[in-house]
Amino acid sequence: SGQRAMASAQEAEGDKREKSPGRSISPVEDPVQRNELGGVYVDEDELKAAFEFFDVHKRGVLTPADLKQRLGVFYKNLPAREYKFLVGEPDFTYKTLHKLLVNNELKDFDPVKEAFKVYDPHDTGFVDMEILKGIFVNLGFGEITADDVQVLIETADVDSDGKISLSDFRKMVSHSKAAEGDLDALHTSVTKK
């Protein structure tokens, strides 16, 4: 299956262990939340939001054309056959996506690290601001100014080094999830009154 192929590719990258001089090998802390099977945990609300993002025409069924319209912003050279492979069924619904992802066994896969690669295509360790600007334009947000770029950096640059690293990106993603939860809780408390 596709999950096993991705997992095998990740395992081929090597054992996630660090060696320190004079110390035994110890496992590196996994930054990825895991499900009961050891795979990547998939949040139901995030899965619904992702499906809605890809369901361009709001039909409740994803097509290769829907994926291309959305993913083409991030992956300019993805061949058509890949879109067809990703949506391998004629009726690829939310239920299909849920069944495919929720109980996955992708043990050595880091979705945040994979997403970061879109913004760091030259593997510099930092977000390429020109790529980020292009993504904003392609998503329909228009041109972003130098001031906008500075605000983005200041907002996401947790370690204040003037650049957005994977660590900064990871914290930004987890912080936005926490902030969203705080907003939901606030909304619930306000509407109960």
Side-chain angles (χ1 to χ4, degrees), residues 26-177:
S26 63
V28 175
E29 184 179 326
D30 188 352
V32 179
Q33 187 176 359
R34 300 289 171 186
N35 64 22
E36 303 82 35
L37 303 172
V40 176
Y41 171 76
V42 177
D43 179 84
E44 297 279 340
D45 291 333
E46 290 176 7
L47 190 61
K48 286 176 188 164
F51 186 86
E52 289 170 5
F53 174 75
F54 288 113
D55 187 11
V56 177
H57 302 289
K58 307 301 178 212
R59 294 180 304 229
V61 176
L62 298 184
T63 66
D66 293 334
L67 287 186
K68 184 172 183 172
Q69 184 172 343
R70 295 300 192 183
L71 289 177
V73 170
F74 303 99
Y75 302 100
K76 298 276 184 222
N77 301 318
L78 195 62
R81 72 178 181 278
E82 295 294 328
Y83 295 112
K84 289 177 186 172
F85 173 75
L86 289 169
V87 182
E89 299 180 23
D91 293 323
F92 196 96
T93 64
Y94 172 76
K95 186 176 178 179
T96 309
L97 184 64
H98 185 276
K99 184 178 175 184
L100 180 68
L101 294 179
V102 169
N103 292 314
N104 72 76
E105 297 180 29
L106 299 171
K107 296 186 185 343
D108 291 325
F109 182 73
D110 182 343
V112 175
K113 187 175 183 180
E114 291 302 313
F116 184 77
K117 289 178 183 179
V118 170
Y119 301 97
D120 179 23
H122 307 294
D123 200 24
T124 64
F126 301 98
V127 169
D128 179 320
M129 296 314 287
E130 292 305 312
I131 297 291
L132 185 61
K133 286 179 184 180
I135 289 172
F136 269 77
V137 169
N138 291 332
L139 286 174
F141 295 114
E143 298 285 332
I144 60 174
T145 67
D147 289 341
D148 295 333
V149 169
Q150 192 56 42
V151 168
L152 286 168
I153 292 172
E154 288 171 5
T155 302
D157 182 20
V158 178
D159 60 11
S160 301
D161 66 356
K163 301 180 231 171
I164 303 170
S165 66
L166 173 59
S167 176
D168 295 330
F169 189 75
R170 189 178 303 285
K171 288 175 184 161
M172 181 182 66
V173 169
S174 64
H175 177 73
S176 69
K177 288 180 190 176

